[in-house]
Amino acid sequence: MKKLIPLILLAILSFASCVNNEDEPGATPPDPPLKPTDLKEDELLGTWETYYMSKEIQAQYYAGANPDTYPSFRLIEYDGYKTSYFYDSEREEYRFTTKNVIDSIIEDGTYSTKGNCITYDWKSKWTGEDTTTYQWIGEIGHTPGILKRYIEYSNVKNEYFPNAKFFVRDFFLERETSIAPNSVVDINPEKEMVDFDYLLGNWEITGFTQWIGVDTSEEFNKKQSEILKGTLFTFRRNEKNEPSCTIGGYDEYGKWVESENLIEIVDDVIYFIYDEKVVVPNTDPDAEKEFYLVKESFNFRVTHKANNTFRDLKTYRDLRDLSKVVKEEIYIQRK
């Protein structure tokens, strides 16, 4: 979908670094965590699914300056990611596997605990290098099946502020899938839950609006609305009875084109899964190009859900002015 997917992916992926992910203005962050002091590997055994993530940023713009603190961030792209912790009796070691929402393995290795810290050792699937990372448990066991963990990054860079230093904390709420598979505790405001039966049928995009802080551009909104308007989503079950969606729209040449996408829903997030062609590198300019397919996805976050309408909400920070929140809404109506 040359008209639809680039705009949606731009909204989702252009702000994917540690200092510029989605946030939700006015959201109430979870209560301060209660840190365990002697976490055991066995306490993590099971499969934990992320259902909420927030992000806090502190920025020191020059040496000696007091840091500016920016509110918590929510990253909807991680909703549905699962980490399984298990004991491998043959290897006699504790192991973990992390998969994304389309069931691709992100990390696979061993883990150990000390205090409230988890140490992960794994081989990067991208570089092949042995990698060690650390995360901290904020709370486990106080609410059955609920885990609170966080990751901290220091000296994170932002291309627009090359001399500044950023400190980032990512905070995750996770539910153990066999104990609390549908839990959404500590979420404020509440999610507007959606299921596939609600989506069945035809829907079309009717408009688009962007705000940067409190400002908006009528010209930009009109242009983007014209690009997206009329894009048609047909939600149905395919011949394998899998949730799917046919997306139809006009390309830049005025030709109607369609794409088929499998659907995965996690609470209020609809993932559209599609195949992306990856060209195999070849130094011979005369060689025929080869490619392989990888599964990718983009998503809608459902808000303002009614019988025949809902909105896709994206919010993120303006990279040139981190004090400003950019909010984008796509309006979708049943046809």
Side-chain angles (χ1 to χ4, degrees):
M1 294 303 301
K2 293 184 179 179
K3 293 184 68 177
L4 174 66
I5 289 179
L7 178 62
I8 296 176
L9 290 182
L10 180 64
I12 294 170
L13 300 179
S14 293
F15 302 87
S17 74
C18 286
V19 298
N20 52 351
N21 281 299
E22 294 189 32
D23 74 37
E24 180 171 359
T28 301
D31 293 333
L34 305 174
K35 299 178 181 179
T37 56
D38 189 19
L39 181 70
K40 303 298 184 183
E41 287 86 353
D42 285 346
E43 295 181 68
L44 294 170
L45 296 176
T47 297
W48 301 86
E49 178 182 50
T50 298
Y51 65 92
Y52 180 88
M53 178 185 173
S54 64
K55 180 180 292 288
E56 183 180 275
I57 301 171
Q58 285 190 337
Q60 186 180 36
Y61 289 100
Y62 56 89
N66 292 325
D68 292 337
T69 300
Y70 300 100
S72 298
F73 279 56
R74 180 186 175 189
L75 273 170
I76 62 174
E77 287 80 25
Y78 289 110
D79 280 22
Y81 275 53
K82 295 183 177 70
T83 299
S84 296
Y85 300 89
F86 58 96
Y87 182 72
D88 188 325
S89 57
E90 292 186 3
R91 300 183 184 184
E92 297 185 337
E93 58 188 15
Y94 288 92
R95 298 191 62 83
F96 78 98
T97 300
T98 298
K99 294 183 178 181
N100 62 17
V101 73
I102 55 180
D103 211 30
S104 295
I105 294 178
I106 305 300
E107 298 169 359
D108 180 22
T110 63
Y111 75 95
S112 60
T113 62
K114 183 178 180 180
N116 72 319
C117 178
I118 313 174
T119 301
Y120 299 89
D121 292 295
W122 47 284
K123 188 180 292 292
S124 172
K125 62 181 292 186
W126 294 279
T127 66
E129 296 179 354
D130 291 332
T131 305
T132 299
T133 56
Y134 305 91
Q135 297 180 19
W136 287 264
I137 298 301
E139 179 180 314
I140 186 170
H142 297 281
T143 303
I146 299 301
L147 171 68
K148 300 179 180 181
R149 64 178 175 87
Y150 57 96
I151 311 172
E152 296 179 333
Y153 309 89
S154 298
N155 297 325
V156 177
K157 301 298 182 182
N158 180 330
E159 60 179 309
Y160 296 101
F161 302 96
N163 298 320
K165 294 182 179 180
F166 294 88
F167 173 84
V168 180
R169 173 177 286 184
D170 292 344
F171 182 80
F172 298 82
L173 286 174
E174 300 185 331
R175 53 198 179 198
E176 211 289 324
T177 56
S178 66
I179 299 174
N182 302 309
S183 179
V184 287
V185 298
D186 287 340
I187 299 297
N188 186 11
E190 295 182 357
K191 296 180 177 182
E192 295 190 53
M193 311 294 274
V194 64
D195 59 49
F196 191 70
D197 287 342
Y198 164 79
L199 295 172
L200 287 172
N202 296 322
W203 300 76
E204 67 177 345
I205 293 178
T206 59
F208 169 91
T209 304
Q210 180 195 77
W211 297 266
I212 302 178
V214 296
D215 300 320
T216 187
S217 168
E218 184 176 344
E219 180 180 353
F220 178 78
N221 290 334
K222 181 180 178 181
K223 178 181 177 181
Q224 300 298 359
S225 292
E226 289 174 352
I227 292 173
L228 292 173
K229 199 169 183 178
T231 301
L232 183 66
F233 299 82
T234 301
F235 292 93
R236 58 183 177 81
R237 293 190 178 273
N238 62 19
E239 61 277 3
K240 297 180 181 180
N241 201 36
E242 300 167 318
S244 66
C245 180
T246 300
I247 305 177
Y250 291 100
D251 64 17
E252 65 267 38
Y253 305 107
K255 180 182 176 181
W256 182 265
V257 293
E258 294 182 345
S259 67
E260 294 292 329
N261 305 264
L262 293 178
I263 298 297
E264 185 73 32
I265 297 176
V266 181
D267 297 342
D268 60 343
V269 180
I270 308 169
Y271 286 93
F272 296 82
I273 302 167
Y274 62 95
D275 290 328
E276 178 77 8
K277 288 184 178 181
V278 178
V279 176
V280 179
N282 194 322
T283 57
D284 183 357
D286 298 323
E288 184 177 349
K289 287 187 177 180
E290 298 181 3
F291 65 87
Y292 60 94
L293 297 176
V294 296
K295 289 192 178 299
E296 298 287 353
S297 67
F298 67 93
N299 59 48
F300 280 168
R301 179 189 168 196
V302 175
T303 63
H304 297 82
K305 182 167 70 73
N307 289 335
N308 296 307
T309 62
F310 68 88
R311 301 179 192 177
D312 166 47
L313 172 65
K314 299 290 187 301
T315 51
Y316 48 88
R317 290 205 173 275
D318 185 341
L319 291 183
R320 295 173 177 82
D321 183 352
L322 295 179
S323 68
K324 292 184 178 179
V325 174
V326 182
K327 177 181 176 182
E328 295 181 344
E329 287 188 333
I330 296 175
Y331 307 102
I332 300 145
Q333 180 173 310
R334 190 183 295 276
K335 187 173 182 180

